[in-house]
Amino acid sequence: MSESESSKTPGLSADEEQEVSQHQPPRAAVLHEIIRYQGDQELERTLAALWWSALAAGLSMGLSMMAMGLFYARLPEGDSSQVIASLGYSAGFLAVILARQQLFTENTITAVLPVMTEPTLRKLGQLLRLWSVVLLGNLAGTILVAYIMLHLPIFDSKTDEAFLEIGRKVMENDLRQMFAKGIVSGWMIATMVWMIPSMEHAKIWIILVITYLMALGDFTHIVVGSVEVSYLAWAGEVSWQDFWLDFAAPTLIGNIIGGSFIFALISHAQVRSDSGKPPSQLPALDKEIARNHPSK
């Protein structure tokens, strides 16, 4: 008899023991395999499917700046207004994730785990293909929605000014700050993606909490920030060179490092070290995955 069996609470029926098993949180290996499986599916999607989904995600991310601007325009000035207005930052993420649209920073972990599990040139090529298409689609959507928000008569002048202030705050960061805050942002998004499979019933709350903290910390995010800074560029307050070199480049690199080279790599190493095998080869994993993630 094993130590775990000998320490069981006496008097439990077989049904009760099964109920105990069902209420256990999924192991890290299970979460890894669920996300790896999702990543494999994304890597196999067609270019057209990836492009249109990424473009839709970029457009949807306009909701984050829209919601924050509307809050700021209707709140009294002061630091306390950020505490409330930061709730609006979550709007775009909720729309993108719940609608299953392609967001680049999600793919810094989801699409990376299949490559870490099976490090082949084919997998690496698929990853670079997905990253390129999704990033371009996201940026095209954000730049387009920023143009629409600026040039169409949708918002009052106070809200328009709030949008400008949001972009100006992003551009107050120097290159080192853009990069460093981008690392934190990429790590937080990867953490969110890792948590969701274990708590599908609380998915909305996970998204809200993580992205709300990102907004409070003024951490830089390549997709949301592209709406905010391209709005400034369309308004003529910054040049497009500033957009690409001062904001986009350091933020993008930081997001990739935080999501892929820190969170995904450490999480993969943790699971691999537990067993000495790739998570997909662990015995009895399929049953545990089916219990925790029936959709797979």
Side-chain angles (χ1 to χ4, degrees):
M1 182 180 294
S2 68
E3 183 180 347
S4 62
E5 289 178 336
S6 63
S7 60
K8 285 182 180 178
T9 303
L12 292 180
S13 66
D15 288 342
E16 289 170 333
E17 289 182 4
Q18 184 177 4
E19 186 176 349
V20 170
S21 176
Q22 290 175 346
H23 282 80
Q24 295 304 305
R27 292 181 294 145
V30 176
L31 299 177
H32 183 289
E33 179 61 8
I34 291 170
I35 296 170
R36 185 206 62 78
Y37 177 81
Q38 293 171 344
D40 265 334
Q41 290 182 315
E42 298 300 336
L43 291 176
E44 296 294 336
R45 293 184 71 182
T46 65
L47 286 176
L50 289 172
W51 167 260
W52 291 114
S53 182
L55 181 66
L59 294 170
S60 297
M61 273 300 172
L63 291 171
S64 289
M65 190 173 84
M66 185 186 302
M68 290 182 69
L70 290 170
F71 273 126
Y72 277 124
R74 286 152 181 78
L75 289 169
E77 293 185 7
D79 292 339
S80 60
S81 64
Q82 184 180 2
V83 176
I84 300 173
S86 293
L87 287 169
Y89 191 83
S90 304
F93 287 95
L94 285 168
V96 168
I97 296 171
L98 296 181
R100 301 297 297 272
Q101 295 169 348
Q102 286 286 343
L103 182 65
F104 177 80
T105 45
E106 276 192 280
N107 282 311
T108 56
I109 179 171
T110 304
V112 168
L113 290 186
V115 180
M116 292 181 177
T117 303
E118 185 186 342
T120 63
L121 288 176
R122 177 177 175 272
K123 287 288 186 185
L124 179 61
Q126 287 180 316
L127 174 64
L128 295 177
R129 165 184 168 271
L130 180 142
W131 271 5
S132 300
V133 175
V134 171
L135 180 61
L136 288 174
N138 284 170
L139 293 180
T142 55
I143 291 171
L144 176 59
V145 77
Y147 180 88
I148 291 170
M149 291 171 65
L150 177 67
H151 289 287
L152 292 187
I154 303 172
F155 305 102
D156 57 38
S157 58
K158 194 171 182 181
T159 305
D160 290 336
E161 180 60 29
F163 293 152
L164 291 171
E165 284 297 328
I166 292 171
R168 291 168 187 152
K169 190 170 185 179
V170 176
M171 293 304 290
E172 288 176 359
N173 295 299
D174 59 28
L175 289 176
R176 292 177 59 194
Q177 290 172 316
M178 291 285 192
F179 173 71
K181 291 182 178 183
I183 292 176
V184 178
S185 178
W187 170 75
M188 292 178 76
I189 291 295
T191 302
M192 179 184 72
V193 173
W194 188 268
M195 291 171 64
I196 286 175
S198 67
M199 299 186 68
E200 281 283 345
H201 61 284
K203 178 188 290 189
I204 291 176
W205 289 109
I206 293 171
I207 298 169
L208 279 171
V209 170
I210 296 294
T211 56
Y212 177 67
L213 291 176
M214 286 171 59
L216 278 181
D218 293 322
F219 301 122
T220 53
H221 185 273
I222 183 60
V223 185
V224 183
S226 293
V227 185
E228 299 165 345
V229 180
S230 64
Y231 189 93
L232 284 184
W234 286 124
E237 291 207 9
V238 299
S239 68
W240 285 104
Q241 180 176 329
D242 293 335
F243 173 86
W244 294 111
L245 298 182
D246 295 344
F247 161 72
T251 299
L252 174 63
I253 296 170
N255 286 171
I256 292 173
I257 289 175
S260 297
F261 296 105
I262 295 180
F263 191 94
L265 185 60
I266 291 174
S267 299
H268 179 78
Q270 169 204 348
V271 173
R272 185 69 181 258
S273 298
D274 282 341
S275 63
K277 298 179 180 180
S280 57
Q281 296 178 12
L282 294 176
L285 195 58
D286 287 343
K287 290 183 179 180
E288 193 171 348
I289 290 172
R291 172 167 64 84
N292 289 281
H293 199 73
S295 61
K296 181 182 173 182

